[in-house]
């Protein structure tokens, strides 16, 4: 589900913007972006910070220039933009010890594991785990040879058809906690990017067959990951990568439009690439207009107690405790904007963008706190990865999550994968650091002591 409005998929809808305001927004963004460039150090830090800010500009900044969006929204945008930079700058020295320990202790340990075929097994096991929904709760493995027609309504009905059984939830949790190990293992294929692309094609196909649908965002996220991996690992081929990406955009836009129509039960229409692009941009830039402003003007706000409860209890396995009554931000916002209870006829998940979400969470005076938190979180992951070469693919996954998933789906799309999904991985890192530290100490104790010569 998702999208600012189903009506925004209508053919021929124009992208209306106040171009004078747009120029001012983009000029201010470039100015503040220059500050962000200076606030970060090195390729890893700049990539995750600037990626987050580019995503914020695309999904909330450009749409702030749409007719009907109040000038106050532009002020919210710039303050949030600056708060993310400040939070990142504060987080750099705060998490410096993380960077130093990872580089000194984890890098050598992972380097010694580099030749092991274990990593190929991790990739294969992740694919197998992804296919388990085709085995339980019913046997559907044959659908890999006869895939179902895309049906978003089936996904929507399934989400509200009741709680899944214990084994189904266990399978879902297993895939989540295996994700960081999968991206770590992909580093073994860094010299075979065609294989990396093939792995993602298999994963996307299995995911589509299992759910009878797959979001355009998920496809875009994986495609962007492969392109970025090629960009990082093949510096000499960057002009060709850029040219190929630009040349394929018209086809990608057309396919995205057609798939979006079929997915919601519509018919494929004859349409030009320009019309398809207009429809897509109207959706992606329309968050402030269609959802953000109605949400802000409603004056509604989250129950901070329930929101903090949601954050604090994220690491707790719900398979053990059962559901915990924390805030479900995207569902609450959708109920406010649509005026319908979750799961009712005509209800779907709307996306407000990060600016409106910040105002909803902390109000019109303290919304910038959300930006500080995001900046600190981005700084932590930059420090975690910057001195460990084996974290390249894992870092790109996290960077895409910040740039795309956070700015499109909000904090509820970012935190669960990075907290729940990384929980077992954090334990793995801690054990690796402790083992290497113990080896260092034992080596220091056993090292021969140099004695002065008798001369």
């Amino acid at each position: 589900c998702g999208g600012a409005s189903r009506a925004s998929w209508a053919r021929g809808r124009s992208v209306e913007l106040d171009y004078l305001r747009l120029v001012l927004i983009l000029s201010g963004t470039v100015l503040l972006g220059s500050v962000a460039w200076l606030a970060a150090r090195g390729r890893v830090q700049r990539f995750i910070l600037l990626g987050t800010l580019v995503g914020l500009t695309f999904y909330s900044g450009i749409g702030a220039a749409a007719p009907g969006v109040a000038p106050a929204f532009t002020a919210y945008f710039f303050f949030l933009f600056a708060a993310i930079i400040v939070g990142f700058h504060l987080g750099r020295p705060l998490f410096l010890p993380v960077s130093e320990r990872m580089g000194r202790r984890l890098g050598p340990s992972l380097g010694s594991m580099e030749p092991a075929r274990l990593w190929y097994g991790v990739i294969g096991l992740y694919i197998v785990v992804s296919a388990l929904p085709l085995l339980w709760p019913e046997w559907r493995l044959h659908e890999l040879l006869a895939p179902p027609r895309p049906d978003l309504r089936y996904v929507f009905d399934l989400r509200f058809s009741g709680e899944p059984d214990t084994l189904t939830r266990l399978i879902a949790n297993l895939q989540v906690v295996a994700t960081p190990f999968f991206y770590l293992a992909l580093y073994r294929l860094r010299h075979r990017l065609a294989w990396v692309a093939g792995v993602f094609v298999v994963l996307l196909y299995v995911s589509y067959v299992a759910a009878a649908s797959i979001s355009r965002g998920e496809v875009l996220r994986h495609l962007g990951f492969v392109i970025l991996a090629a960009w990082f690992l093949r510096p000499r081929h960057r002009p060709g990568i850029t040219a190929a990406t630009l040349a394929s955009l018209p086809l990608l836009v057309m396919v995205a439009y057609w798939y979006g129509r079929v997915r919601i039960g519509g018919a494929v229409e004859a349409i030009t690439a320009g019309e398809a692009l207009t429809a897509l941009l109207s959706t992606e830039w329309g968050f402030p207009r269609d959802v953000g402003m109605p949400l802000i003007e409603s004056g509604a706000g989250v129950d901070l107690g329930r929101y903090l409860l949601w954050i604090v209890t994220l690491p707790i396995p719900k398979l053990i405790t059962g559901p915990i009554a924390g805030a479900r931000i995207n569902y609450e916002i959708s109920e406010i904007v649509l005026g319908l209870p979750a799961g009712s006829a005509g209800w779907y998940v709307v996306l407000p963008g990060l600016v409106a979400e910040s105002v909803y969470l902390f109000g019109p005076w303290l919304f910038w706190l959300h930006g500080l938190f995001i900046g600190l979180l981005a700084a932590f992951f930059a420090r975690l990865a910057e001195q460990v070469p084996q974290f390249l693919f894992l870092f790109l996954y996290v960077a895409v999550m910040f740039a795309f998933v956070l700015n499109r789906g909000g904090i509820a799309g970012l935190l669960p994968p990075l907290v729940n999904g990384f929980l077992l991985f954090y334990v793995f890192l801690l054990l690796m650091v402790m083992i290497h530290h113990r080896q260092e100490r034992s080596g220091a104790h056993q090292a021969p002591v140099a004695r002065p010569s008798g001369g």
Side-chain angles (χ1 to χ4, degrees), residues 109-128:
S109 298
L110 289 175
S112 65
M113 298 170 65
E114 177 66 18
R117 294 185 177 274
L118 170 68
W119 300 113
Y120 291 123
V122 171
I123 296 172
L125 181 61
Y126 187 79
I127 295 174
V128 171

Side-chain angles (χ1 to χ4, degrees), residues 300-336:
V302 74
D303 183 329
L304 274 178
R306 295 179 67 233
Y307 176 62
L308 294 176
L309 177 66
W310 174 71
I311 292 179
V312 170
T313 59
L314 267 177
I316 301 175
K318 306 306 183 292
L319 191 65
I320 299 174
T321 64
I324 297 177
R328 304 182 73 181
I329 302 167
N330 286 346
Y331 282 23
E332 293 177 6
I333 291 174
S334 301
E335 289 179 337
I336 293 166

Side-chain angles (χ1 to χ4, degrees), residues 77-127:
F77 165 74
F78 279 123
F79 275 106
L80 187 68
F81 196 103
I84 293 174
I85 298 173
V86 171
F88 190 90
H89 190 60
L90 293 174
R92 286 183 60 249
L94 180 64
F95 300 120
L96 177 59
V98 174
S99 177
E100 293 174 340
R101 287 189 176 90
M102 291 295 103
R104 185 172 66 251
R105 295 174 178 170
L106 192 65
S109 298
L110 289 175
S112 65
M113 298 170 65
E114 177 66 18
R117 294 185 177 274
L118 170 68
W119 300 113
Y120 291 123
V122 171
I123 296 172
L125 181 61
Y126 187 79
I127 295 174

Side-chain angles (χ1 to χ4, degrees), residues 28-49:
T29 299
V30 171
L31 179 62
L32 286 174
S34 302
V35 176
W37 179 270
L38 297 175
R41 294 289 186 274
R43 181 177 66 174
V44 167
Q45 291 186 23
R46 285 172 174 162
F47 189 79
I48 192 169
L49 176 58

Side-chain angles (χ1 to χ4, degrees), residues 5 52 64 81 108 135 159 203 207 213 243 267 279 282 292 354 390-391 445:
S5 169
T52 303
F81 196 103
L135 305 178
R159 183 174 297 182
L203 288 173
S207 177
S213 178
S282 179
L354 197 58
Q390 294 83 359
F391 279 1
H445 288 314

Side-chain angles (χ1 to χ4, degrees), residues 42 56 64-65 74 98 101 112 133 145 202 219 224 236 253 256-257 265 284 289 349 355 425 427:
L56 177 65
T74 303
V98 174
R101 287 189 176 90
S112 65
L145 301 178
V202 171
V219 175
R236 290 185 301 174
V253 168
Y257 177 83
E284 303 305 302
R289 174 196 62 208
V349 176
V355 171
F425 185 71
V427 175

Side-chain angles (χ1 to χ4, degrees), residues 57-345:
T57 302
F58 185 85
Y59 283 105
S60 294
I62 295 176
V69 178
F73 192 96
T74 303
Y76 290 143
F77 165 74
F78 279 123
F79 275 106
L80 187 68
F81 196 103
I84 293 174
I85 298 173
V86 171
F88 190 90
H89 190 60
L90 293 174
R92 286 183 60 249
L94 180 64
F95 300 120
L96 177 59
V98 174
S99 177
E100 293 174 340
R101 287 189 176 90
M102 291 295 103
R104 185 172 66 251
R105 295 174 178 170
L106 192 65
S109 298
L110 289 175
S112 65
M113 298 170 65
E114 177 66 18
R117 294 185 177 274
L118 170 68
W119 300 113
Y120 291 123
V122 171
I123 296 172
L125 181 61
Y126 187 79
I127 295 174
V128 171
V129 170
S130 300
L132 288 180
L134 295 173
L135 305 178
W136 182 269
E138 57 180 308
W139 182 273
R140 296 191 295 123
L141 203 58
H142 59 279
E143 292 185 4
L144 288 172
L145 301 178
R149 175 186 172 89
D151 188 357
L152 186 60
R153 290 170 294 187
Y154 169 77
V155 179
F156 183 81
D157 293 339
L158 189 64
R159 183 174 297 182
F160 294 96
S161 62
E163 285 293 323
D165 60 71
T166 301
L167 185 55
T168 300
R169 287 186 292 158
L170 180 61
I171 291 171
N173 289 337
L174 185 60
Q175 184 175 11
V176 169
V177 299
T179 296
F181 295 99
F182 164 73
Y183 281 96
L184 179 60
L186 279 182
Y187 187 74
R188 288 285 299 148
L189 299 177
R190 64 191 181 279
H191 301 305
R192 302 175 178 178
L193 289 181
W195 286 32
V196 174
V199 167
F200 281 116
V201 169
V202 171
L203 288 173
L204 286 171
Y205 181 70
V206 169
S207 177
Y208 165 77
V209 173
S213 178
I214 191 169
S215 69
R216 298 185 309 275
E218 186 176 355
V219 175
L220 181 62
R221 180 165 58 85
H222 286 81
L223 179 61
F225 175 89
V226 174
I227 294 172
L228 290 175
W231 178 269
F232 269 80
L233 293 169
R234 305 288 190 270
R236 290 185 301 174
H237 298 147
R238 286 176 182 174
I241 294 170
T242 302
T245 302
L246 293 176
S248 63
L249 282 179
L251 176 61
L252 291 175
V253 168
M254 295 289 290
V255 171
Y257 177 83
W258 287 333
Y259 176 72
R261 296 287 299 172
V262 173
R263 188 167 172 248
I264 61 175
V268 175
E269 304 172 351
I271 189 172
T272 67
E275 291 173 327
L277 180 62
T278 297
L280 284 171
L281 292 181
S282 179
T283 299
E284 303 305 302
W285 290 347
F287 295 171
R289 174 196 62 208
D290 299 330
V291 182
M293 281 307 302
L295 178 64
I296 292 173
E297 290 172 347
S298 73
V302 74
D303 183 329
L304 274 178
R306 295 179 67 233
Y307 176 62
L308 294 176
L309 177 66
W310 174 71
I311 292 179
V312 170
T313 59
L314 267 177
I316 301 175
K318 306 306 183 292
L319 191 65
I320 299 174
T321 64
I324 297 177
R328 304 182 73 181
I329 302 167
N330 286 346
Y331 282 23
E332 293 177 6
I333 291 174
S334 301
E335 289 179 337
I336 293 166
V337 173
L338 299 175
L340 297 170
S344 63

